[in-house]
């Protein structure tokens, strides 16, 4: 669970290899005549951003937030609502604020995700342990009910985003173009997490996870650091949610349902909490598992549940732990 | 108007009693075993399904009660034996994820076995109809029966925990686990008993709720999250907190749902939008209550001693 030390030549090589692989993937998919892979990996990357943002609080900060889907959903609805107002030319808060510009809608999604995290975090972080788990879950469920009741934005049925947002002159409808937009943002977000993990802020966060009393005793405001991490995580989830709204061209309250929060947690744990690329592996692993199981049976959760229990009971450290085990690296 | 308020307070009390049955088990299991159990709602669902199926097979609600209790307790003990037992030494995160896996499994199993169509249970003939409790106010006998049974269960639980040998061990296990073990008490058996007791209470709540709600997949999580609110408001690990928290949350939630539409219709011109929004605001009500409690008393209103 140490902060990533991607300074070694081997680590640099691995990251470079991963990047080349992801850059070449859409072309390889076309060559191998499996173009749907591009869309599948786009989905993995979006979930990887969401899981990486949760990893910031869960893995690095040791805060078990069970309501992360709330911020993801808010990011999605930000894009959806802005689009709806732009399409219908209707005023929002009395002004013509609707937009279908990617460069406006996405920052709004990020900021709103962060603001929601600020409010929820400020309250929830007054507690720790099991209460924190219950409270984050309850607040996320509260937002879920709020969006279910907003009939104007589709309520229970959700909101269709007819077109993807406009970004320069790019053809965002093209799966490959959109893939590269998502990949660029995912790479930027992982670089950002890497910077954070190695910074003073990241060190303090890790120390709080290990022993918050000692951190408080040396005169560092634990609450402020936790809240800052919580807000940064909310912003990352908002980014992922906004991308999802663009990808699926649809947002619904299900984006913030508690099972979505559970899925994000599973991705973090599956990949290995507190590691840099754990969330990426975890997202890819869970989506692959879902795809394989659901192609085979409609009742895939019947198998996913026990698989999850077995992983928790017998494979600690997730996929990163397995990789480390086989590569003989000491953790 | 005041009759309507009385009626809604009674409805709230009935919801509160149901919430208490779940919250008591959840808080006992957490307080004594240190386990956060998301599958507690699944035990409630299992109780409700077993009760509904027994009632429709035999036509007797009297047989539905033991069927629901037996199914929930048996599932609870099996879950404790197979999964929970391995989680005592783990952190909350592992417990949350493993029991989340249990929830997925139970929900999917129930929908494979009984389909996604909700089941409906008739109110038993003996308890159907309503009686006039105050002049001009008739109230459902069945709901009154739930309140009465729930409150007597709360009293029974109090006696069990405060005045029996088992209760003494439970209290001691909550505060001084190692000492109890060192004194030669079979703590494993104690844990299984506590978990089974929690499952029994959850199953009972499920059977009782059957005739009032539709019995369907997902009913467990809906009430589980409200139970979390109860536990946080009342204070984690405290039975007394669970009782007062449950009644507070139950009455508050029912009042919001009953009176929010009147308020919103006064504020908004569009009737159907006002109704939808007030339904949403009413669902949010208990969470806002929880936020206020957190601001004033982060440990809950009745924190456990020790």
């Amino acid at each position: 669970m140490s902060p990533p030390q991607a300074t070694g030549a081997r680590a640099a090589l691995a990251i470079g290899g991963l990047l080349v692989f992801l850059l070449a993937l859409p072309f390889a998919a076309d060559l191998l005549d499996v173009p749907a892979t591009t869309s599948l990996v786009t989905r993995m990357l979006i979930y990887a951003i969401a899981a990486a943002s949760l990893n910031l609080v869960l893995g690095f900060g040791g805060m078990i937030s069970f309501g992360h889907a709330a911020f993801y959903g808010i990011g999605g609805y930000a894009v959806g609502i802005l689009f709806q107002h732009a399409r219908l030319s209707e005023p929002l808060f009395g002004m013509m604020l609707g937009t279908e510009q990617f460069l406006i809608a996405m920052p709004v999604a990020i900021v709103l995700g962060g603001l929601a995290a600020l409010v929820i975090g400020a309250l929830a972080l007054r507690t720790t342990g099991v209460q924190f788990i219950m409270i984050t879950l309850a607040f996320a469920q509260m937002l879920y009910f709020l969006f279910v009741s907003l009939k104007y934005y589709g309520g229970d049925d959700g909101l269709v985003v007819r077109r993807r947002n406009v970004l320069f002159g790019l053809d965002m409808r093209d799966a490959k173009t959109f893939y590269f937009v998502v990949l660029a943002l995912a790479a930027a977000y992982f670089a950002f997490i890497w910077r954070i993990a190695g910074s003073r802020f990241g060190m303090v966060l890790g120390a709080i996870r290990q022993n918050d009393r000692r951190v408080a005793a040396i005169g560092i405001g634990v609450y402020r650091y936790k809240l800052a991490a919580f807000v940064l995580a909310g912003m990352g989830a908002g980014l992922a949610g906004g991308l999802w709204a663009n990808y699926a061209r649809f947002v619904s309250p299900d984006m913030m349902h508690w099972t979505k929060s559970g899925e994000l947690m599973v991705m973090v744990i599956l990949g290995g909490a507190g590691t840099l690329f754990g969330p990426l592996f975890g997202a890819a692993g869970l989506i692959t598992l879902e795809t394989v199981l659901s192609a085979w049976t409609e009742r895939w959760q019947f198998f996913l549940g026990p698989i999850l229990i077995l992983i928790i009971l017998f494979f600690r450290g997730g996929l990163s732990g397995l990789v480390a085990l086989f590569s003989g690296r000491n953790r | 108007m005041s009759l309507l308020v009385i009626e809604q307070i009674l409805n709230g009390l009935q919801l509160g009693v149901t919430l208490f049955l779940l919250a008591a088990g959840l808080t006992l299991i957490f307080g004594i075993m240190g386990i956060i159990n998301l599958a507690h709602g699944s035990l409630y669902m299992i109780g409700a399904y077993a009760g509904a199926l027994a009632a429709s097979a035999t036509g007797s609600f009297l047989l539905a009660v033991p069927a629901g209790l037996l199914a929930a307790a048996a599932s609870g003990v099996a879950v404790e034996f197979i999964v929970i037992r391995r989680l005592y030494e783990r952190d909350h995160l592992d417990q949350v994820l493993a029991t989340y896996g249990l929830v997925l499994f139970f929900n999917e199993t129930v929908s494979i076995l009984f389909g996604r169509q909700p089941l409906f249970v008739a109110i038993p003939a003996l308890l159907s109809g309503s009686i006039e409790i105050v002049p001009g106010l008739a109230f459902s006998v069945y709901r009154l029966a739930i309140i009465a049974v729930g409150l007597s269960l709360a009293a029974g639980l109090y006696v069990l925990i405060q005045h029996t040998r088992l209760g003494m061990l439970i209290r001691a296990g909550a505060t001084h686990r190692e000492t109890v073990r060192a004194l030669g008490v079979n703590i494993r058996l104690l844990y299984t008993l506590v978990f089974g007791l929690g499952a029994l209470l959850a199953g009972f709540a499920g059977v009782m709720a059957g005739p009032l709600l539709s019995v369907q997949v997902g009913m467990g999580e809906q009430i589980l999250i409200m139970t979390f609110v109860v536990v946080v408001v009342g204070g984690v690990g405290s039975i007394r907190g669970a009782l007062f928290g449950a009644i507070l949350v139950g009455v508050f939630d029912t009042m919001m749902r009953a009176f929010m539409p009147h308020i919103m219709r006064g504020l908004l011109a569009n009737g159907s939008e006002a109704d939808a929004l007030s339904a949403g605001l009413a669902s949010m009500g208990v969470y806002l209550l929880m936020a206020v409690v957190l601001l004033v008393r982060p440990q809950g209103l009745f924190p456990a001693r020790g």
Side-chain angles (χ1 to χ4, degrees):
Chain A
M1 299 274 276
S2 62
Q5 281 159 1
T7 42
R10 268 177 69 186
L13 204 65
I15 292 173
L18 184 66
L19 209 54
V20 170
F21 171 75
L22 286 173
L23 283 170
L25 189 119
F27 304 105
D30 279 355
L31 278 180
L32 297 173
D33 205 26
V34 279
T37 312
T38 305
S39 169
L40 182 71
V41 179
T42 308
R43 212 162 84 206
M44 290 176 182
L45 287 173
I46 294 173
Y47 272 107
I49 296 174
S53 71
L54 177 60
N55 190 28
L56 197 61
V57 286
L58 187 72
F60 293 113
M63 295 166 258
I64 308 175
S65 165
F66 204 157
H68 208 60
F71 316 125
Y72 176 71
I74 281 175
Y77 266 99
V79 168
I81 288 173
L82 287 174
F83 179 84
Q84 163 134 329
H85 283 271
R87 189 172 63 89
L88 301 175
S89 307
E90 278 179 357
L92 180 63
F93 302 125
M95 285 177 281
M96 287 310 227
L97 290 178
T99 181
E100 43 185 349
Q101 286 296 326
F102 193 77
L103 288 181
I104 301 174
M106 288 306 294
V108 171
I110 295 170
V111 168
L112 288 181
L115 274 178
L118 181 66
V119 175
I120 291 179
L123 284 166
L125 286 168
R126 292 169 65 86
T127 63
T128 53
V130 68
Q131 279 150 301
F132 183 75
I133 303 175
M134 294 179 180
I135 286 159
T136 46
L137 175 60
F139 278 129
Q141 200 67 4
M142 176 180 103
L143 284 173
Y144 171 80
F145 284 126
L146 176 67
F147 278 91
V148 165
S149 74
L150 287 178
K151 281 278 179 295
Y152 185 73
Y153 297 116
D156 225 353
D157 299 327
L159 187 61
V160 174
V161 184
R162 287 270 277 293
R163 277 192 310 272
R164 284 180 183 158
N165 284 157
V166 178
L167 177 62
F168 307 123
L170 295 176
D171 177 15
M172 296 282 271
R173 278 170 60 194
D174 178 49
K176 236 184 290 182
T177 311
F178 188 68
Y179 170 84
F180 283 115
V181 171
V182 172
L183 179 59
L185 284 169
Y189 193 69
F190 275 89
F192 172 70
I193 299 266
W194 177 65
R195 287 284 303 195
I196 282 190
S199 69
R200 180 180 178 278
F201 177 77
M203 298 295 168
V204 172
L205 207 55
I208 289 173
R209 185 191 70 234
Q210 285 169 17
N211 194 329
D212 56 346
R213 284 190 182 182
R214 282 191 200 166
V215 174
I218 58 172
I220 292 174
V222 168
Y223 180 79
R224 288 195 347 234
Y225 273 86
K226 282 184 167 179
L227 189 56
F230 204 78
V231 170
L232 282 177
M235 293 170 80
L239 166 70
L243 285 175
W244 180 265
N246 271 297
Y247 167 79
R249 287 178 290 151
F250 175 67
V251 290
S252 77
D254 276 347
M255 281 181 82
M256 36 181 96
H257 196 247
W258 74 279
T259 48
K260 191 64 77 180
S261 298
E263 250 176 72
L264 292 177
M265 282 175 97
V266 171
M267 287 174 184
V268 171
I269 302 309
L270 195 63
T275 58
L276 180 57
F277 285 111
L280 178 64
F281 298 140
L286 188 65
I287 290 174
T288 306
L289 196 62
E290 280 182 12
T291 311
V292 170
L293 285 179
S294 62
W296 180 47
T297 165
E298 195 189 326
R299 309 291 191 180
W300 54 274
Q301 290 196 336
F302 181 77
F303 298 96
L304 184 64
I307 291 175
L308 187 60
I309 296 170
L310 289 177
I311 290 173
I312 299 299
L313 291 183
F314 300 113
F315 297 99
R316 309 201 64 188
L319 291 176
S320 296
L322 272 186
V323 171
L325 203 66
F326 284 117
S327 64
R329 208 176 77 208
N330 283 328
R331 275 166 58 80
Chain B
M1 189 67 185
S2 64
L3 285 183
L4 190 59
V5 172
I6 295 176
E7 185 183 1
Q8 294 306 331
I9 288 180
L10 284 173
N11 277 334
L13 206 56
Q14 179 262 312
L15 174 63
V17 161
T18 310
L19 284 172
F20 167 72
L21 292 178
L22 282 151
L26 198 71
T27 210
L28 263 182
I29 290 167
F30 179 75
I32 292 158
M33 301 155 62
I35 290 274
I36 170 165
N37 178 23
L38 293 186
H40 207 67
S42 301
L43 299 171
Y44 166 86
M45 174 183 72
I46 289 170
Y49 264 95
L53 292 168
S56 73
T58 64
S60 157
F61 193 75
L62 269 182
L63 288 175
V65 175
L69 290 181
L70 196 69
S75 316
V77 171
V79 160
E80 198 273 343
F81 200 75
I82 297 168
V83 179
I84 303 289
R85 186 161 280 199
R86 295 166 215 276
L87 292 171
Y88 293 137
E89 308 300 323
R90 301 293 191 85
D91 54 16
H92 291 329
L93 183 58
D94 285 355
Q95 296 170 355
V96 164
L97 288 169
T99 52
Y100 171 70
L102 282 174
V103 171
L104 295 183
F105 174 76
F106 278 127
N107 278 347
E108 205 60 64
T109 308
V110 167
S111 84
I112 288 172
L113 289 178
F114 309 113
R116 293 210 171 270
Q117 289 299 319
L119 306 178
F120 295 96
V121 188
I123 292 181
L126 189 64
L127 299 174
S128 65
S130 49
I131 52 167
E132 200 165 316
I133 35 175
V134 216
L137 173 62
F139 193 74
S140 151
V141 178
Y142 184 69
R143 287 178 190 263
L144 278 178
I146 294 188
I147 297 174
V149 173
L151 289 179
S152 32
L153 271 177
L157 208 56
Y158 171 80
V159 172
L160 173 75
I161 289 181
Q162 295 296 333
H163 296 290
T164 66
R165 187 176 165 76
L166 178 66
M168 184 187 72
L169 287 176
I170 288 176
R171 276 179 292 140
T175 48
H176 299 92
R177 197 180 315 181
E178 294 307 315
T179 315
V180 173
R181 193 183 313 210
L183 287 171
V185 174
N186 185 344
I187 204 119
R188 279 212 151 166
L189 184 65
L190 184 66
Y191 280 5
T192 308
L193 276 177
V194 168
F195 201 86
L197 179 66
L200 209 61
L201 292 173
F204 189 69
V207 178
M208 299 306 278
L212 298 176
L213 307 167
S214 51
V215 175
Q216 58 188 336
V217 174
M219 67 187 291
E221 286 69 65
Q222 216 171 354
I223 200 146
L224 177 79
I225 295 172
M226 261 186 101
T227 307
F228 280 176
V229 172
V230 168
V231 170
V232 168
V233 166
V236 174
S238 145
I239 298 272
R240 208 160 51 104
L243 179 61
F244 291 116
I247 287 171
L248 179 63
V249 168
V251 171
F252 187 77
D253 185 67
T254 310
M255 296 301 239
M256 289 285 284
R257 282 175 205 280
F259 297 112
M260 206 56 177
H262 295 285
I263 299 168
M264 290 310 287
R265 272 171 182 258
L267 295 176
L268 284 182
N270 185 337
S272 73
E273 263 190 46
D275 281 353
L277 195 62
S278 57
L281 288 177
S283 318
M284 290 169 68
V286 289
Y287 305 106
L288 295 176
L289 174 74
M290 179 182 74
V292 171
V293 170
L294 276 176
L295 281 174
V296 185
R297 296 188 62 153
Q299 294 310 306
L301 296 176
F302 303 92
R305 282 150 294 169

